[in-house]
Amino acid sequence: MPDSQPQPARSPDGDAAAPPPGEGALVLCGARLADGRVVDVRLSGGRIEAVGTAGSLAPGPRVDLTGYVLLPAPADPHAHLDTALTADLGGPVPHGVEDVQRRTTEAALLQLGHGATAVRTHVRIGDVAGLRALEGVLAARRSLRGLTELSAVAVPRLLTGAAGADGLAMLRDAVGMGATVIGGCPDLDPDPTGYAETVLALAAEHGCAVDLHTDGAEPARLARLAAMAGGLRPGVAVGPCGALARLPRDQAARAGQQLAAAGVTVVCLPQGDCGVSGGARGGGAWCAPVRLLRAAGVRVAAGSGALRDAANPVGRGDPLEAAYLLASHGELAPEQAYEAVSGWARATMGLPEVRVEAGFPAELLAVRGQAVAGVLSLGYSRLVVHRARVVARTSAVREYGDVQATVALDLPRQAPRGGDPS
C-alpha cells in the first residue's frame, strides 16, 4: 500500500515511512512527551499541524511511537566533518573535493542517525588545501538537502600582517562560495585581537554569524573579544573554552559575566576537544565549566567536536552522549542537558525554535524510553524526523540467554539455534 494512503500504525522499526513533502500528513501516534503526556502528533508541510490526546487525530499514514519519548530534534553547533572518519588512515589526510564530500556525507548521515537534523561544521581554508575542503563540504550540503541541514564555518589560519593577506582574501572568497559563518582561532594568530577584529568586521559586512575557537586560557583576551563582539547580529559563539574550567573560580565567573553581557554563546565539547584551539588531552578538563557559565547568564550549547579523527579517534558525534556527559558530571539537570544539544544549540545556529506544539517546525527525535533521563542513559532505538518526514531509524535489540531469571522476569530471550525468536 502506498505511503500516501491510510495505513495501519507501525513501529519505528518497521517499514512505514513519511510521505514526501506535499503528499499528505503523517501521524506519530502514542508518543510520550517530556512532560509525561501521551499524544498523537500530525505532521504536514514541514511543520507540526496538530497535537492531540492519543487516538484523537484523524486516520492517515501513521507511525506507532508507543514506548518512545518524542522530543525536539538535536542540532550540532560544532563539528569538523571535513576531517571526520580519518583516524585510521595511517597517513596524510586527503583534502580533494571528492574525498571531503564523501567524508562529510558519511559523517553527516551518522549524526543524522543519532538525531541531529542540523549540523554546523568548521572547515579549514587556506594553506595547501586552499578552498577545496570547503568546496567538498558545500557539495555534500547540496546532496544531503531534504535529509539534513549543513552550514559551513570558514576557518582561516592567519588573518593579520603580510602572512594574513592571503587568508583574508580566501575568507572573502569562502563567504562568496556559500560559507554562512566566519570562524577561526585568534589564539593561533600572532595578533589575536587583530584577528578577531578582522573576523567581526567581515561578518558585519556580510551579515554572517561568527563562531571562533578559543580555549579561554587568557581571561583578558576573552574579555576583549566579548567587548568587541557585543551586539553583533546574527550572533557570536566561542568554544570550546575548556581552559575556563582550570582557572580560579572567580576569574572564570568574571569571564562568564562578560560573555553574558555581550550576548556571546559558549559552545562546549563534552565528548572531547577538537584540537583546533590548542587544548590538549592530558592537560586537565577540556569541557567548559557549564554550570558556572549558566549561573553567570551565558547561553551554553553543546557540540560534538571531532568525529574519529586525529583529535579524537573515538569521537561519536552523538548529541545524546554529549547531553549524557553534561548530566552525569553534574553540570546540568537531564532536561537542561538535552536543551543544550537541542533548543540552545538551534538558537546558537540561528535556527527557528522547535516545540512539540502545533505550528512549530517538524524537526523531531523519538527515542525508546519513558523520560528524558532514561533517554540520555539508554537511548539506543531512535526515529528521526526532518521537515515532517521520517529520515532515519535505528533499532537496538537486546536479548538474553534462556535461563530461569530471564524467564521469570519475562525478558526478551535469544532465538534457539535454527528456530524462530522466542
Side-chain angles (χ1 to χ4, degrees):
M1 186 179 296
D3 289 338
S4 57
Q5 300 299 317
Q7 298 179 21
R10 299 186 185 180
S11 75
D13 307 332
D15 56 0
E23 292 192 15
L26 174 72
V27 178
L28 309 177
C29 50
R32 183 179 298 276
L33 302 184
D35 62 11
R37 289 179 294 146
V38 178
V39 299
D40 287 357
V41 180
R42 185 166 60 237
L43 314 177
S44 181
R47 308 191 79 81
I48 299 171
E49 186 176 90
V51 178
T53 57
S56 66
L57 298 185
R62 303 168 77 81
V63 173
D64 183 3
L65 291 182
T66 302
Y68 282 70
V69 178
L70 185 63
L71 301 163
D76 189 340
H78 191 125
H80 289 266
L81 303 189
D82 60 321
T83 57
L85 311 174
T86 58
D88 298 328
L89 286 184
V93 175
H95 289 289
V97 174
E98 292 183 359
D99 297 307
V100 173
Q101 180 180 0
R102 183 178 64 254
R103 290 196 300 264
T104 300
T105 301
E106 185 177 352
L109 291 176
L110 178 64
Q111 292 196 277
L112 179 65
H114 291 321
T117 62
V119 178
R120 174 184 281 185
T121 180
H122 294 253
V123 187
R124 299 192 193 202
I125 62 172
D127 299 326
V128 177
L131 292 168
R132 292 196 300 276
L134 178 62
E135 187 178 346
V137 168
L138 295 177
R141 181 177 71 182
R142 291 189 294 270
S143 69
L144 290 166
R145 189 167 290 127
L147 285 176
T148 186
E149 301 292 336
L150 292 184
S151 58
V153 186
V155 179
R157 189 170 65 88
L158 298 176
L159 283 181
T160 67
D166 288 344
L168 179 57
M170 198 162 291
L171 183 55
R172 291 184 178 277
D173 289 341
V175 173
M177 287 173 60
T180 55
V181 187
I182 299 176
C185 185
D187 299 350
L188 301 183
D189 192 280
D191 179 4
T193 299
Y195 187 110
E197 287 175 340
T198 300
V199 166
L200 293 168
L202 192 60
E205 177 185 342
H206 291 278
C208 295
V210 170
D211 197 333
L212 294 170
H213 285 76
T214 179
D215 202 32
E218 300 285 344
R221 187 178 295 171
L222 203 57
R224 287 195 295 271
L225 174 59
M228 290 187 291
L232 183 72
R233 295 292 179 267
V236 177
V238 297
C241 294
L244 287 177
R246 304 191 289 273
L247 292 177
R249 184 176 179 84
D250 61 331
Q251 291 186 31
R254 187 160 54 250
Q257 292 162 1
Q258 292 163 337
L259 292 171
V264 175
T265 298
V266 170
V267 180
C268 67
L269 300 178
Q271 297 173 93
D273 193 15
C274 63
V276 174
S277 61
R281 290 182 179 276
W286 58 78
C287 186
V290 175
R291 182 167 52 178
L292 180 149
L293 291 172
R294 289 287 300 161
V298 181
R299 179 169 65 197
V300 182
S304 63
L307 200 172
R308 300 212 304 268
D309 65 15
N312 185 359
V314 295
R316 293 184 182 178
D318 185 352
L320 264 62
E321 182 184 47
Y324 157 80
L325 290 168
L326 290 175
S328 65
H329 292 169
E331 296 289 349
L332 295 172
E335 293 76 14
Q336 289 181 314
Y338 188 79
E339 188 72 5
V341 300
S342 57
W344 300 342
R346 289 183 63 86
T348 300
M349 299 164 68
L351 298 171
E353 181 182 12
V354 174
R355 300 182 194 169
V356 189
E357 298 177 14
F360 284 87
E363 303 289 321
L364 303 168
L365 172 64
V367 188
R368 185 175 291 281
Q370 296 299 315
V372 173
V375 161
L376 299 187
S377 177
L378 292 169
Y380 300 130
S381 294
R382 309 181 191 186
L383 178 141
V384 186
V385 173
H386 173 54
R387 295 186 180 179
R389 298 176 57 226
V390 176
V391 292
R393 287 186 178 89
T394 300
S395 175
V397 177
R398 176 178 286 121
E399 298 177 327
Y400 299 91
D402 190 358
V403 297
Q404 184 176 354
T406 60
V407 174
L409 294 174
D410 195 26
L411 297 174
R413 286 169 284 154
Q414 296 175 16
R417 187 179 299 275
D420 295 328
S422 55

